[in-house]
Amino acid sequence: MTAKSAAAAARATVYGYPRQGRNRELKKAVEGYWKGRVTADALRSTGAELRRSNWRQLADAGIHEVPTGDFSYYDHVLDTTVMVGAIPPRHRSAVDADALDGYFAMARGTQDVAPLEMTKWFDSNYHYLVPELGPDTVFTADSTKQVAEFEEALALSLTARPVLVGPVTYLLLAKPAPGTAADFEPLTLLDRLLPVYAEVLADLRAAGAEWVQLDEPALVQDRTPAELNAAERAYRDLGALTNRPKLLVASYFDQLGEALPVLAKAPVEGLALDFTGAAAANLDALAAAGGLPGKRLVAGVVNGRNIWINDLRRSLATLGTLLGLADRVDVSASSSLLHVPLDAAAERDIEPQILRWLAFARQKTAEIAVLAKGISQGTDSITAELAANRADLASRAASPLTHDPAVRARSEAVTDSDARRTQPYTARAAAQRAHLGLPLLPTTTIGSFPQTTELRTARADLRAGRIDILGYEARIKNEIREVISFQEKTGIDVLVHGEPERNDMVQYFAEQLTGYLATQHGWVQSYGTRYVRPPVLAGDISRPEAMTVRWTAYAQSLTHRPVKGMLTGPVTMLAWSFVRDDQPLGETARQVALALRDEVNDLEAEGTSVIQVDEPALRETLPLRAGDRAAYLAWATEAFRLTTAGVRPDTQIHTHMCYAEFGDIVQAIDDLDADVISLEAARSHMQVARELATHGYPREAGPGVYDIHSPRVPGTDETADLLRTGLKAIPAERLWVNPDCGLKTRGWPETRASLENLVAAARTVRGELTAS
């Protein structure tokens, strides 16, 4: 086939779409179901309507082939666990009794049964539920959801492509089930899993599917020869099936590297590759591998994870090169559009010219359709679109928002000594113990307390003008008084003010820093029904005035116990924003760090003795390939130290991380030079404590003992047992007692009970240590 005929065949498609609906209808329906206000039938009806709406939007935008199966009530990896029948034994009876309730029990747990562990989806801020597999796992196919949603799309007369998590990625994402040897490798179950995938593929073929997409993003990471052999075997066997649809194997988030020739030679009909950012290297690699003769290539040339408009001419050039490398080239985003908000047109508070720089999911589908038209019909068919795109790109490049000379001069003046504390940790620790006078196994929380309906109503009332700023601040002060009073009565040692004034741990700061833009409707799913509105980091960053000092000082005035100042760190400010792509990330991080450094120093000057700078995104932003990590960790750890290094030795610096695999960044955690780190550990049964011990981590640490992403209340004995496990890895004089994460999403009843049990457990174990 010639390049000209390949161009004529170009079609537009996407791998996935935001699930929540224009007004977060899915969140409201699911949470209503949990509270008993929405029936199961009503929840399913909402889901079906959201799917229909998404597919119609895609078709109307010019998307020729819509995805199915990407919709989920909670998580698509959990959906895969259901599809292959890998239900953990502790949840089997609940799933058998009621499939929907059992599904949510696996996600959230119950008072008696722990949920599945949750962690980050590669280097994104989406969280998935980790499959638990062991040598006794029996897989059974259940394609009900996948077939039903595909048939819904067919009923709308749409061309549809079911999307599944691929078998190799599913196994590589899994962990050994409880009670299984820690060195058990779930990938050894591949031969047992493949027949289940074969059955699902046959069911989809019987339903009329021409193509099925199998997502294998795990193959963009560094993989061993054994893992690559497993991928080769998986697609050799699936490709050899006679009763199956055509197979499109998709990867995203980075280049495929050594996995590309494996998949290129596999007996499948197509590959979907990312060609944005670091994954642009896929272009040269594909050419070096001889292309994909006789196969379909879906080219991800529109960034599926950021919100900046596409450079259409650059993407057309990439597509032009690819036309000679495959039998058919189609156009897509680089990944599922799950990672971006729904529609930039809904934003009314962003200056119209700046809004033209932004592309959310609906705008990205329009870009994909334009590119498909351009390579199919020629660039003369999209002249107007190219001219408008060129003007918008030029407007952004020339904007004063993106260039502040004062900010750039300060950043360039930074020296190595600016990012180093004046004394080593051992000297600081002694000064801090003398200054703070804390007991053995000190207790604290991570920062936020429940964001009640009353708090959300107060913010809404302020925005609507129903109350003035004085009335709003009176409500905030009252909430702080209640939070401080509760912590004192409970016996917590280091207090927090509860963050009632904050809408989000990144957005709150972004709204007070120059260079950031806030959205009103830019919701993105983080996990389950937790949605966030990442701000847009569009320009150079500075801090016009103090952001947190007033509320922290007020809380401290209510108690003699230390109250932590609470800030979000520079790496997380980048990772949980849609960050500018026109300069190196390290430079942007340095600008944010300098703004936060001013806040840290002001907190200390106001009398704050403990300051926590959260960096939960340090691990998630880690490049997927090991060769790219050293450079990232160098600027990321420097940015944290630049934020915190200006304080006195007796001011204690904390940091916090959650819901990620920490083992491969323990050295980076050490390099942060924080005095205390708190980490998620409850669901993983103190795994991180053992990793810290193996590394020889020399500072204080608080591995979490209360899983805040579940509504269940851990008992005192359960919490004490976790503490005892922690003590096997971390000496008592360096062990803190705290929840996994902030309490914003929890209700007050379970928060009170859980923290009371946490304090009681600390006292119990403290007594045991004293007695011994």
Side-chain angles (χ1 to χ4, degrees), residues 148-200:
E149 292 179 9
F150 172 71
E151 290 177 338
E152 288 176 15
L154 289 189
L156 297 174
S157 301
L158 298 173
T159 300
R161 182 184 71 252
V163 178
L164 310 176
V165 175
V168 179
T169 289
Y170 180 75
L171 293 175
L172 289 172
L173 293 179
K175 62 175 288 185
T180 300
D183 60 353
F184 173 75
E185 295 184 5
L187 192 59
T188 59
L189 300 177
L190 180 63
D191 290 338
R192 199 181 304 177
L193 181 62
L194 290 176
V196 172
Y197 270 80
E199 187 173 341
V200 172

Side-chain angles (χ1 to χ4, degrees), residues 17-71:
Y17 205 63
R19 301 162 179 163
Q20 67 266 25
R22 186 176 183 86
N23 296 303
R24 290 182 293 160
E25 291 87 350
L26 183 60
K27 170 185 173 69
K28 296 168 186 175
V30 171
E31 291 181 350
Y33 177 75
W34 292 342
K35 295 174 181 176
R37 297 199 295 259
V38 172
T39 66
D41 286 344
L43 173 59
R44 294 187 180 100
S45 178
T46 297
E49 179 52 40
L50 288 171
R51 292 191 292 273
R52 286 193 294 270
S53 175
N54 284 351
W55 293 328
R56 289 190 183 107
Q57 286 178 22
L58 290 169
D60 290 346
I63 298 301
H64 304 109
E65 184 183 47
V66 301
T68 68
D70 60 302
F71 176 87

Side-chain angles (χ1 to χ4, degrees), residues 502-748:
R502 303 185 191 184
N503 45 14
D504 175 82
M505 67 181 290
V506 172
Q507 184 182 350
Y508 176 78
F509 294 97
E511 290 174 347
Q512 300 181 76
L513 294 169
T514 62
Y516 267 102
L517 306 174
T519 69
Q520 295 299 312
H521 304 284
W523 297 103
V524 177
Q525 187 180 23
S526 178
Y527 64 87
T529 61
R530 168 71 168 149
Y531 291 84
V532 295
R533 278 184 298 162
V536 179
L537 200 165
D540 287 343
I541 300 297
S542 62
R543 185 198 72 146
E545 59 186 11
M547 301 178 287
T548 67
V549 175
R550 178 187 175 197
W551 295 118
T552 305
Y554 174 69
Q556 187 64 76
S557 73
L558 302 174
T559 180
H560 295 296
R561 299 185 185 192
V563 175
K564 283 194 287 190
M566 301 298 306
L567 305 177
T568 301
V571 176
T572 301
M573 288 295 296
L574 267 61
W576 293 359
S577 301
F578 292 117
V579 67
R580 62 190 301 181
D581 59 355
D582 58 346
Q583 69 180 16
L585 280 174
E587 172 56 31
T588 306
R590 178 174 286 192
Q591 292 181 6
V592 176
L594 288 169
L596 294 173
R597 182 185 181 97
D598 293 341
E599 188 73 12
V600 169
N601 293 345
D602 284 352
L603 281 166
E604 183 186 59
E606 193 65 27
T608 304
S609 297
V610 183
I611 301 171
Q612 181 170 307
V613 180
D614 290 344
E615 282 292 20
L618 182 69
R619 172 59 181 84
E620 81 180 42
T621 315
L622 189 72
L624 295 176
R625 290 195 169 269
D628 301 325
R629 292 175 178 177
Y632 158 73
L633 290 172
W635 65 253
T637 55
E638 183 213 47
F640 181 90
R641 295 194 307 271
L642 186 59
T643 300
T644 58
V647 298
R648 299 187 310 267
D650 63 351
T651 296
Q652 191 172 72
I653 295 294
H654 288 225
T655 191
H656 169 67
M657 299 179 190
C658 57
Y659 295 94
E661 300 295 333
F662 300 111
D664 48 5
I665 62 163
V666 176
Q667 181 58 54
I669 292 174
D670 199 348
D671 292 342
L672 295 177
D673 198 24
D675 300 305
V676 181
I677 184 169
S678 56
L679 303 118
E680 175 274 328
R683 288 196 185 189
S684 62
H685 307 288
M686 290 284 166
Q687 176 180 333
V688 71
R690 295 186 287 272
E691 291 168 346
L692 292 175
T694 299
H695 174 77
Y697 185 74
R699 300 173 187 83
E700 298 176 38
V705 295
Y706 162 27
D707 173 18
I708 66 89
H709 289 289
S710 170
R712 67 184 296 271
V713 176
T716 299
D717 290 345
E718 175 186 341
T719 306
D721 283 343
L722 275 176
L723 277 178
R724 295 183 188 104
T725 300
L727 282 167
K728 295 176 182 177
I730 301 172
E733 63 272 15
R734 292 198 279 112
L735 184 67
W736 284 64
V737 185
N738 46 260
D740 274 344
C741 199
L743 301 165
K744 176 181 178 179
T745 60
R746 297 272 52 89
W748 263 108

Side-chain angles (χ1 to χ4, degrees), residues 486-507:
F486 165 74
Q487 292 173 93
E488 285 195 315
K489 291 176 182 176
T490 304
I492 293 174
D493 299 304
V494 175
L495 313 188
V496 297
H497 79 289
E499 305 177 11
E501 79 287 5
R502 303 185 191 184
N503 45 14
D504 175 82
M505 67 181 290
V506 172
Q507 184 182 350

Side-chain angles (χ1 to χ4, degrees), residues 1 60 67 73 123 126 153 181 276 284 292 359 439 524:
M1 176 177 279
D60 290 346
Y73 289 115
D123 58 348
Y126 178 81
T276 66
D284 290 340
L292 298 174
V524 177

